[in-house]
Amino acid sequence: MHRSGQRQSRGFSPGSAHTSGKRHPHGGGHPHGNAGAIDYNENPFIVIWEVTRACELKCVHCRADAQTKPDPRELTHEEGMELLDQIYEMNNPMLVFTGGDCMMRADLYDLAEYAVKKGMRVSMTPSATPNVTKEKMERAKEVGLSRWGISLDGPTPEIHDHFRGTPGSFALTVEKINYLNELKMPLQINTVISRYNYHSLEQMAELVGELKAVMWYIFLLVPVGRGQADDCLTSAEHEKVFRWLYELGKTAPYDIKTTAAQHYRRVVIQQKTRENLVHKGEIRYEDSISDTAYLIDGLKRAPKGVNDGNGFIFISHIGDVLPSGLLPIKVGNVREKPLKEIYRESPVLKQLRNPDLYKGKCGVCEFRFVCGGSRSRTYAMTGDYLESEPFCVYIPEAMRH
């Protein structure tokens, strides 16, 4: 077990990835084995279902502003089963159960088992609380969940526990992770990068390797819910993190995936262009598939850039459908209309799926079809989901000329 007290801070120096080891492929993939055929105008690549908003933690950045008890308006078991059928019918996308703390939903494993038996690829992201028992972990493996995602937001108790608003959370998280490793269940570590942990990322990268994660899932803070704009990194800091991640990805013994960090894809393409691994020029989704898509999307699955409402959809605990959990615009409710109709017909989602409608530099950027900026962060900072990504340093060629 990792002993946090012996770890000394060296600070974060972008561009010098400390973690070493050979990259290795991990199992998995889109259920159909042909992700390149997905039309994001018709079907999402990934669906996130917030099965409950109940959670015992008090995270300072909580998107959901979670509550201690389940909402009585939550989708019922029968409604949940029907929702799973609807999701499956949309080309069987990847499915993630989230919260709140999804462990606080009584029928979680019944829902998961039903989905897995249908042939769906299901993972979940429970909070590390006493609710996560050995019995529940074993049950998750028995049910056939593809991956267990668990949040770890700092390499020391001081950082993580402050971030999670709960003393002892770090120790409990590491304890749960160690048991997942004993079960040989694929582990994904989720980390929100913000002002709280920016200077500890090298330590964090080492720890992710020590804990034997197959995926480091990095979220760049979006100021929504309890998240505050003052806690976001600056544009220059975002860029430093992206370049550091690119170098880290060459040697890390785990895959790296980013969320609310669409401009990381632009950095990857730029770096590979400098290394003569991709060609310059107008870069569209279809152009990136063969050259860079598998690297851009750390899960090595998405055939083109996923963004809020564009290959990605979120269903809340009460059935509201949102472009993502970080972009709080209701575009429908599954109690009132089938999910596929909402996804395909919503005017808001249609706009989000057309990068040519983006404003400012995002609208003329040559990377808009593989990047597009975080629509959720743009909305949080400007009130307009079509505006330019507020934390991007890049100046498009069209504006330079």
Side-chain angles (χ1 to χ4, degrees):
M1 181 178 293
H2 162 65
R3 295 179 180 177
S4 60
Q6 296 178 359
R7 183 174 296 277
Q8 296 180 352
S9 174
R10 284 188 296 276
F12 168 49
S13 55
S16 59
H18 185 80
T19 301
S20 62
K22 295 181 179 180
R23 288 184 58 77
H24 55 85
H26 302 300
H30 191 273
H32 292 165
N34 186 23
I38 302 173
D39 179 356
Y40 289 175
N41 290 306
E42 293 292 316
N43 300 305
F45 175 74
I46 184 169
V47 175
I48 310 290
W49 177 18
E50 176 192 67
V51 295
T52 184
R53 190 162 282 189
C55 184
E56 295 178 349
L57 297 180
K58 301 174 183 177
C59 305
V60 296
H61 66 285
C62 182
R63 164 204 63 79
D65 196 12
Q67 309 301 314
T68 56
K69 296 181 180 180
D71 190 323
R73 301 172 298 164
E74 283 179 3
L75 294 179
T76 65
H77 178 74
E78 290 72 22
E79 289 173 327
M81 299 285 271
E82 182 180 349
L83 175 60
L84 292 174
D85 289 338
Q86 291 185 28
I87 294 171
Y88 177 79
E89 290 170 2
M90 297 182 72
N91 201 33
N92 193 9
M94 292 176 59
L95 173 63
V96 179
F97 292 145
T98 188
D101 178 6
C102 53
M103 282 291 175
M104 294 188 72
R105 177 155 179 137
D107 62 346
L108 177 68
Y109 286 118
D110 293 331
L111 294 169
E113 186 171 27
Y114 178 75
V116 170
K117 286 183 176 179
K118 286 179 70 72
M120 302 177 75
R121 182 174 166 85
V122 185
S123 59
M124 62 181 178
T125 59
S127 302
T129 70
N131 286 324
V132 182
T133 63
K134 289 184 177 181
E135 291 74 21
K136 289 182 178 179
M137 292 184 199
E138 291 167 353
R139 175 68 174 140
K141 186 174 183 180
E142 291 172 3
V143 166
L145 292 181
S146 301
R147 181 176 298 171
W148 188 295
I150 197 163
S151 293
L152 189 60
D153 294 298
T156 65
E158 292 75 20
I159 297 173
H160 176 83
D161 291 359
H162 172 72
F163 206 61
R164 291 284 153 181
T166 307
S169 177
F170 179 89
L172 189 63
T173 299
V174 173
E175 174 187 308
K176 305 303 181 185
I177 287 174
N178 286 333
Y179 192 70
L180 285 171
N181 283 329
E182 288 180 25
L183 289 175
K184 300 187 183 304
M185 188 165 185
L187 167 68
Q188 170 182 306
I189 290 181
N190 302 330
T191 301
V192 177
I193 294 180
S194 71
R195 190 66 49 208
Y196 293 98
N197 55 11
Y198 172 65
H199 296 288
S200 302
L201 294 183
E202 282 196 358
Q203 291 174 271
M204 193 66 211
E206 290 182 44
L207 181 56
V208 172
E210 290 176 15
L211 294 175
K212 302 178 181 178
V214 300
M215 170 72 69
W216 191 15
Y217 204 154
I218 293 173
F219 299 74
L220 272 294
L221 182 66
V222 173
V224 66
R226 295 178 195 153
Q228 300 297 312
D230 290 343
D231 295 331
C232 292
L233 304 186
T234 66
S235 299
E237 289 168 340
H238 274 81
E239 196 77 1
K240 289 178 181 178
V241 169
F242 296 151
R243 293 189 180 192
W244 175 75
L245 285 175
Y246 175 75
E247 294 301 323
L248 175 65
K250 295 178 179 180
T251 58
Y254 45 80
D255 287 320
I256 297 171
K257 173 75 169 65
T258 58
T259 286
Q262 281 76 6
H263 33 331
Y264 175 56
R265 302 169 193 155
R266 183 257 306 162
V267 170
V268 168
I269 292 173
Q270 288 178 311
Q271 295 297 95
K272 288 210 149 298
T273 300
R274 294 186 184 104
E275 296 170 8
N276 297 317
L277 296 177
V278 298
H279 300 290
K280 292 183 179 180
E282 181 74 10
I283 300 169
R284 303 182 68 88
Y285 280 145
E286 55 269 25
D287 299 325
S288 72
I289 293 174
S290 60
D291 292 325
T292 61
Y294 279 32
L295 194 65
I296 290 169
D297 189 344
L299 280 175
K300 296 186 179 180
R301 286 192 287 260
K304 54 186 181 180
V306 172
N307 209 327
D308 305 307
N310 187 13
F312 187 107
I313 203 69
F314 180 93
I315 301 127
S316 81
H317 62 297
I318 58 174
D320 286 341
V321 180
L322 315 175
S324 82
L326 300 170
L327 208 174
I329 296 179
K330 178 181 174 180
V331 297
N333 188 287
V334 294
R335 282 173 165 152
E336 301 167 359
K337 184 182 292 188
L339 180 63
K340 65 180 179 181
E341 291 184 23
I342 298 172
Y343 182 83
R344 295 169 184 173
E345 299 173 7
S346 162
V348 171
L349 298 182
K350 285 183 177 180
Q351 286 185 322
L352 288 168
R353 291 195 288 266
N354 185 358
D356 284 331
L357 295 180
Y358 297 167
K359 302 175 183 178
K361 66 180 186 179
C362 278
V364 298
C365 183
E366 64 271 26
F367 294 99
R368 64 190 178 277
F369 294 98
V370 290
C371 170
S374 169
R375 296 298 96 205
S376 56
R377 187 180 296 106
T378 296
Y379 180 74
M381 297 297 292
T382 71
D384 184 348
Y385 53 79
L386 295 177
E387 266 296 348
S388 288
E389 160 67 58
F391 293 119
C392 178
V393 299
Y394 184 68
I395 303 299
E397 290 186 7
M399 297 182 74
R400 278 180 266 157
H401 298 306

